[in-house]
Short mmCIF file of all heavy atoms in Angstrom, two decimals:
data_model
loop_
_atom_site.label_atom_id
_atom_site.label_comp_id
_atom_site.label_asym_id
_atom_site.label_seq_id
_atom_site.Cartn_x
_atom_site.Cartn_y
_atom_site.Cartn_z
N ARG C 1890 7.88 -42.15 -60.11
CA ARG C 1890 8.08 -43.21 -61.11
C ARG C 1890 6.78 -43.98 -61.25
O ARG C 1890 6.27 -44.52 -60.27
CB ARG C 1890 9.20 -44.15 -60.65
CG ARG C 1890 10.60 -43.58 -60.75
CD ARG C 1890 11.17 -43.65 -62.15
NE ARG C 1890 11.34 -45.01 -62.65
CZ ARG C 1890 12.51 -45.65 -62.68
NH1 ARG C 1890 13.61 -45.07 -62.24
NH2 ARG C 1890 12.59 -46.88 -63.16
N SER C 1891 6.25 -44.07 -62.46
CA SER C 1891 5.02 -44.85 -62.65
C SER C 1891 5.31 -46.33 -62.44
O SER C 1891 4.42 -47.09 -62.05
CB SER C 1891 4.41 -44.59 -64.03
OG SER C 1891 5.35 -44.82 -65.04
N ASP C 1892 6.58 -46.75 -62.69
CA ASP C 1892 6.91 -48.16 -62.48
C ASP C 1892 7.35 -48.46 -61.04
O ASP C 1892 7.49 -49.61 -60.66
CB ASP C 1892 7.98 -48.64 -63.49
CG ASP C 1892 9.13 -47.67 -63.68
OD1 ASP C 1892 9.06 -46.55 -63.13
OD2 ASP C 1892 10.08 -48.01 -64.39
N PHE C 1893 7.58 -47.42 -60.24
CA PHE C 1893 7.88 -47.58 -58.81
C PHE C 1893 7.12 -46.51 -58.04
O PHE C 1893 7.71 -45.54 -57.57
CB PHE C 1893 9.39 -47.46 -58.56
CG PHE C 1893 10.22 -48.52 -59.22
CD1 PHE C 1893 10.83 -48.29 -60.44
CD2 PHE C 1893 10.37 -49.77 -58.61
CE1 PHE C 1893 11.59 -49.29 -61.05
CE2 PHE C 1893 11.14 -50.76 -59.21
CZ PHE C 1893 11.74 -50.52 -60.44
N PRO C 1894 5.80 -46.66 -57.90
CA PRO C 1894 4.98 -45.56 -57.38
C PRO C 1894 5.08 -45.34 -55.86
O PRO C 1894 4.50 -44.38 -55.36
CB PRO C 1894 3.55 -45.97 -57.77
CG PRO C 1894 3.61 -47.44 -57.93
CD PRO C 1894 5.00 -47.81 -58.34
N ASP C 1895 5.82 -46.20 -55.15
CA ASP C 1895 5.89 -46.04 -53.70
C ASP C 1895 7.27 -45.59 -53.24
O ASP C 1895 8.27 -45.80 -53.91
CB ASP C 1895 5.55 -47.38 -53.02
CG ASP C 1895 4.16 -47.83 -53.38
OD1 ASP C 1895 3.24 -46.98 -53.37
OD2 ASP C 1895 4.00 -49.02 -53.72
N LEU C 1896 7.26 -45.00 -52.04
CA LEU C 1896 8.53 -44.63 -51.42
C LEU C 1896 9.23 -45.89 -50.91
O LEU C 1896 8.58 -46.77 -50.35
CB LEU C 1896 8.27 -43.65 -50.28
CG LEU C 1896 9.52 -43.05 -49.65
CD1 LEU C 1896 9.38 -41.53 -49.57
CD2 LEU C 1896 9.75 -43.61 -48.26
N ASP C 1897 10.52 -45.96 -51.13
CA ASP C 1897 11.31 -47.10 -50.67
C ASP C 1897 12.28 -46.60 -49.60
O ASP C 1897 13.24 -45.91 -49.92
CB ASP C 1897 12.07 -47.69 -51.87
CG ASP C 1897 13.10 -48.73 -51.44
OD1 ASP C 1897 13.10 -49.10 -50.24
OD2 ASP C 1897 13.89 -49.15 -52.29
N PRO C 1898 12.00 -46.92 -48.33
CA PRO C 1898 12.83 -46.38 -47.25
C PRO C 1898 14.32 -46.72 -47.41
O PRO C 1898 15.18 -46.01 -46.90
CB PRO C 1898 12.26 -47.05 -45.99
CG PRO C 1898 10.89 -47.48 -46.36
CD PRO C 1898 10.92 -47.78 -47.82
N SER C 1899 14.62 -47.79 -48.13
CA SER C 1899 16.04 -48.15 -48.30
C SER C 1899 16.76 -47.20 -49.27
O SER C 1899 17.97 -47.28 -49.41
CB SER C 1899 16.17 -49.59 -48.80
OG SER C 1899 15.87 -49.65 -50.18
N GLN C 1900 16.00 -46.32 -49.91
CA GLN C 1900 16.64 -45.36 -50.82
C GLN C 1900 16.68 -43.94 -50.24
O GLN C 1900 16.66 -42.95 -50.95
CB GLN C 1900 15.92 -45.34 -52.19
CG GLN C 1900 16.05 -46.68 -52.91
CD GLN C 1900 15.55 -46.65 -54.34
OE1 GLN C 1900 15.88 -45.74 -55.11
NE2 GLN C 1900 14.73 -47.63 -54.71
N THR C 1901 16.75 -43.88 -48.90
CA THR C 1901 16.87 -42.58 -48.25
C THR C 1901 18.33 -42.12 -48.33
O THR C 1901 19.04 -42.07 -47.34
CB THR C 1901 16.39 -42.68 -46.79
OG1 THR C 1901 15.08 -43.26 -46.79
CG2 THR C 1901 16.30 -41.30 -46.14
N HIS C 1902 18.74 -41.82 -49.55
CA HIS C 1902 20.11 -41.33 -49.77
C HIS C 1902 20.07 -40.27 -50.88
O HIS C 1902 19.06 -40.10 -51.55
CB HIS C 1902 21.04 -42.48 -50.17
CG HIS C 1902 20.49 -43.35 -51.27
ND1 HIS C 1902 20.32 -44.71 -51.14
CD2 HIS C 1902 20.05 -43.05 -52.51
CE1 HIS C 1902 19.81 -45.20 -52.25
NE2 HIS C 1902 19.63 -44.22 -53.10
N HIS C 1903 21.18 -39.58 -51.04
CA HIS C 1903 21.30 -38.60 -52.12
C HIS C 1903 21.89 -39.28 -53.34
O HIS C 1903 22.65 -40.23 -53.22
CB HIS C 1903 22.21 -37.44 -51.70
CG HIS C 1903 21.69 -36.65 -50.54
ND1 HIS C 1903 20.62 -35.78 -50.67
CD2 HIS C 1903 22.06 -36.59 -49.24
CE1 HIS C 1903 20.38 -35.23 -49.49
NE2 HIS C 1903 21.23 -35.71 -48.61
N LEU C 1904 21.53 -38.77 -54.50
CA LEU C 1904 22.15 -39.23 -55.74
C LEU C 1904 23.04 -38.12 -56.28
O LEU C 1904 22.57 -37.02 -56.58
CB LEU C 1904 21.09 -39.62 -56.77
CG LEU C 1904 20.30 -40.89 -56.44
CD1 LEU C 1904 19.29 -41.18 -57.55
CD2 LEU C 1904 21.23 -42.09 -56.24
N ILE C 1905 24.32 -38.43 -56.34
CA ILE C 1905 25.31 -37.47 -56.84
C ILE C 1905 25.58 -37.82 -58.31
O ILE C 1905 25.70 -39.01 -58.65
CB ILE C 1905 26.63 -37.57 -56.02
CG1 ILE C 1905 26.33 -37.53 -54.52
CG2 ILE C 1905 27.61 -36.49 -56.43
CD1 ILE C 1905 25.67 -36.27 -54.04
N SER C 1906 25.63 -36.80 -59.15
CA SER C 1906 25.83 -37.08 -60.57
C SER C 1906 26.81 -36.07 -61.15
O SER C 1906 27.15 -35.07 -60.53
CB SER C 1906 24.50 -37.03 -61.32
OG SER C 1906 23.89 -35.77 -61.17
N GLY C 1907 27.26 -36.36 -62.36
CA GLY C 1907 28.19 -35.45 -63.01
C GLY C 1907 28.68 -36.01 -64.33
O GLY C 1907 28.12 -36.98 -64.85
N GLY C 1908 29.71 -35.39 -64.85
CA GLY C 1908 30.29 -35.81 -66.13
C GLY C 1908 29.68 -35.06 -67.29
O GLY C 1908 28.54 -34.57 -67.20
N LEU C 1909 30.41 -34.99 -68.37
CA LEU C 1909 29.90 -34.32 -69.57
C LEU C 1909 29.72 -35.34 -70.69
O LEU C 1909 28.60 -35.67 -71.06
CB LEU C 1909 30.85 -33.20 -70.00
CG LEU C 1909 30.73 -31.91 -69.18
CD1 LEU C 1909 31.94 -31.03 -69.39
CD2 LEU C 1909 29.46 -31.16 -69.54
N ASP C 1910 30.81 -35.87 -71.20
CA ASP C 1910 30.67 -36.87 -72.27
C ASP C 1910 30.28 -38.22 -71.67
O ASP C 1910 29.49 -38.95 -72.24
CB ASP C 1910 31.99 -36.98 -73.04
CG ASP C 1910 32.31 -35.67 -73.73
OD1 ASP C 1910 31.36 -34.96 -74.14
OD2 ASP C 1910 33.49 -35.31 -73.85
N ARG C 1911 30.87 -38.52 -70.52
CA ARG C 1911 30.48 -39.75 -69.81
C ARG C 1911 29.79 -39.31 -68.53
O ARG C 1911 30.45 -38.87 -67.60
CB ARG C 1911 31.71 -40.58 -69.47
CG ARG C 1911 32.35 -41.19 -70.69
CD ARG C 1911 33.43 -42.11 -70.25
NE ARG C 1911 33.34 -43.36 -70.99
CZ ARG C 1911 34.15 -44.38 -70.79
NH1 ARG C 1911 35.03 -44.33 -69.81
NH2 ARG C 1911 34.05 -45.46 -71.51
N ILE C 1912 28.48 -39.46 -68.51
CA ILE C 1912 27.76 -39.04 -67.30
C ILE C 1912 27.67 -40.21 -66.34
O ILE C 1912 27.69 -41.37 -66.75
CB ILE C 1912 26.36 -38.48 -67.64
CG1 ILE C 1912 25.54 -39.49 -68.46
CG2 ILE C 1912 26.48 -37.16 -68.39
CD1 ILE C 1912 24.10 -39.07 -68.66
N TRP C 1913 27.61 -39.90 -65.06
CA TRP C 1913 27.62 -40.95 -64.04
C TRP C 1913 26.71 -40.53 -62.87
O TRP C 1913 26.40 -39.35 -62.70
CB TRP C 1913 29.05 -41.21 -63.55
CG TRP C 1913 29.75 -39.96 -63.08
CD1 TRP C 1913 30.56 -39.16 -63.83
CD2 TRP C 1913 29.65 -39.33 -61.80
NE1 TRP C 1913 30.99 -38.08 -63.09
CE2 TRP C 1913 30.44 -38.17 -61.84
CE3 TRP C 1913 28.96 -39.65 -60.61
CZ2 TRP C 1913 30.57 -37.30 -60.74
CZ3 TRP C 1913 29.09 -38.79 -59.52
CH2 TRP C 1913 29.90 -37.64 -59.60
#
Side-chain angles (χ1 to χ4, degrees):
Chain C
R1890 287 280 296 259
S1891 54
D1892 44 354
F1893 296 97
D1895 300 316
L1896 187 130
D1897 170 8
S1899 77
Q1900 296 189 47
T1901 307
H1902 49 237
H1903 297 287
L1904 290 180
I1905 311 299
S1906 59
L1909 282 163
D1910 297 328
R1911 290 187 134 182
I1912 55 172
W1913 53 266

